[in-house]
């Protein structure tokens, strides 16, 4: 059985987005091309040709580059949620939870994760333990709830939290420093959170990325994944998973 070798390249784009390029053999995918120029420059520099576009949701900073990439690479498939039909420019493949996408020999599992958007999906590659989760989980944070309920977002976060601890989280934004500043107001005695802040301050002052992060680490430090922490519940005065998540989200909205 041929084994997959998924290589992931992280491209900074717009003000604080990341675009990801996935390469396995001769196949090349882009995840959430918010800016086509950044992608085209990378492909040219590395002498690669684009095979497909994978979108996590329809917000502009994730799909704005689709049309220009389709002009450069006519006819390549554009993947997104079936729920986003009519919203993702150039979309040709309409995905549902449990579907599979192939990048060379690498198989990505499609996970439906509504909360930030109804049609938000994540792409999880179990063999290489890579997760592309758009705006659902960030390092020390989580995306805003837009056209969904807080319960839906908590359920989606629980679904992603159940992935293996060694899962690399390739999220779509460099929000880590601001997220940590907030997280420390929710969980001020968490030693790992405090040392992450020291590490991230060093990385960001050297203009280095803080992404990817790992699921096991986020489970121990990200307040948006810790609705069952007794320390957090007692600090917030909440009971129950959705209530605790909702209180964290509401405080972040006002932060
Ligand atoms: Fe975004």
């Amino acid at each position: 059985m041929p084994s997959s070798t998924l290589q992931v390249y992280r491209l900074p784009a717009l003000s604080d987005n990341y675009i990801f390029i996935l390469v396995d053999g001769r196949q090349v995918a882009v995840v959430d091309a918010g800016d086509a120029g950044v992608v085209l420059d990378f492909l040219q520099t590395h002498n690669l040709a684009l095979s497909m576009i994978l979108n996590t949701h329809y917000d502009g900073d994730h799909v704005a580059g689709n049309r220009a990439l389709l002009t450069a690479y006519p006819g390549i498939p554009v993947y997104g949620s079936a729920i986003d039909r009519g919203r993702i420019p150039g979309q040709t493949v309409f995905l549902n939870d449990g579907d599979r996408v192939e990048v060379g020999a690498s198989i990505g599992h499609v996970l439906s994760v509504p909360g930030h958007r109804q049609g938000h999906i994540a792409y999880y590659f179990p063999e290489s333990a890579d997760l592309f989760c758009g705006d659902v989980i960030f390092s020390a944070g989580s995306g805003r709830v837009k056209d969904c309920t807080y319960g839906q977002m908590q359920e989606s976060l629980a679904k992603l939290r159940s992935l293996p601890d060694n899962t690399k989280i390739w999220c779509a934004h460099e929000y880590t420093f601001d997220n940590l500043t907030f997280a420390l107001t929710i969980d001020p005695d968490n030693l790992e959170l405090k040392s992450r802040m020291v590490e991230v301050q060093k990385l960001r002052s050297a203009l280095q990325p803080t992404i990817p992060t790992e699921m096991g680490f986020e489970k121990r430090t990200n307040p948006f994944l810790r609705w069952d922490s007794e320390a957090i519940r007692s600090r917030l005065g909440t009971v129950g998973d959705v209530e605790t998540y909702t209180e964290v989200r509401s405080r972040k909205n006002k932060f």
Side-chain angles (χ1 to χ4, degrees):
M1 196 173 103
S3 70
S4 68
T5 50
L6 192 70
Q7 283 176 273
V8 181
Y9 299 89
R10 174 196 51 229
L11 314 183
L14 307 173
S15 57
D16 49 30
N17 280 70
Y18 288 121
I19 298 171
F20 302 109
I21 305 286
L22 283 46
V23 181
D24 187 333
R26 296 178 65 110
Q27 290 243 295
V28 180
V30 60
V31 180
D32 285 352
D35 182 343
V38 169
V39 176
L40 292 170
D41 286 350
F42 176 88
L43 295 171
Q44 190 173 36
T45 305
H46 292 77
N47 200 22
L48 294 169
L50 194 62
S51 317
M52 70 191 80
I53 299 172
L54 305 177
N55 286 127
T56 62
H57 64 296
Y58 72 86
D59 283 342
D61 60 315
H62 299 256
V63 304
N66 285 11
R67 289 282 179 214
L69 292 176
L70 285 168
T71 301
Y73 298 95
I76 62 168
V78 179
Y79 293 80
S81 168
I83 293 170
D84 283 345
R85 185 183 286 271
R87 297 193 184 110
I88 293 179
Q91 185 176 3
T92 59
V93 186
F94 302 89
L95 297 167
N96 293 294
D97 189 60
D99 284 348
R100 300 284 191 263
V101 298
E102 291 178 24
V103 182
S106 292
I107 311 286
H109 296 200
V110 175
L111 305 173
S112 167
V113 283
H116 178 68
R117 289 292 189 194
Q118 285 290 351
H120 203 302
I121 54 176
Y123 300 91
Y124 170 54
F125 292 80
E127 197 171 330
S128 56
D130 291 303
L131 173 69
F132 301 91
C133 60
D135 290 351
V136 178
I137 299 182
F138 298 127
S139 179
S142 174
R144 278 179 188 276
V145 175
K146 288 186 174 169
D147 50 4
C148 302
T149 67
Y150 283 43
Q152 277 181 299
M153 184 59 131
Q154 190 271 334
E155 199 176 314
S156 293
L157 291 167
K159 188 172 181 175
L160 296 182
R161 197 181 78 162
S162 72
L163 296 174
D165 282 355
N166 69 347
T167 303
K168 294 181 285 293
I169 301 175
W170 301 93
C171 56
H173 288 277
E174 179 61 64
Y175 289 159
T176 312
F177 176 77
D178 286 347
N179 286 341
L180 286 167
T181 306
F182 170 73
L184 284 164
T185 69
I186 300 292
D187 200 9
D189 302 322
N190 188 321
L191 296 179
E192 280 189 289
L193 197 52
K194 290 192 214 181
S195 52
R196 172 72 164 158
M197 182 51 130
V198 174
E199 179 199 7
V200 164
Q201 281 174 319
K202 278 188 203 146
L203 285 169
R204 296 308 295 155
S205 57
L207 302 176
Q208 294 297 308
T210 66
I211 304 305
T213 181
E214 268 202 1
M215 189 65 76
F217 180 77
E218 292 302 317
K219 280 160 63 174
R220 297 192 304 273
T221 57
N222 187 332
F224 292 89
L225 299 177
R226 305 193 63 232
W227 49 78
D228 39 12
S229 153
E230 280 310 321
I232 290 178
R233 285 184 181 195
S234 74
R235 174 167 288 271
L236 301 181
T238 53
V239 289
D241 297 346
V242 176
E243 190 192 347
T244 304
Y245 162 76
T246 298
E247 181 62 20
V248 173
R249 182 68 261 168
S250 305
R251 289 186 184 209
K252 178 66 162 67
N253 292 346
K254 292 178 233 137
F255 188 70

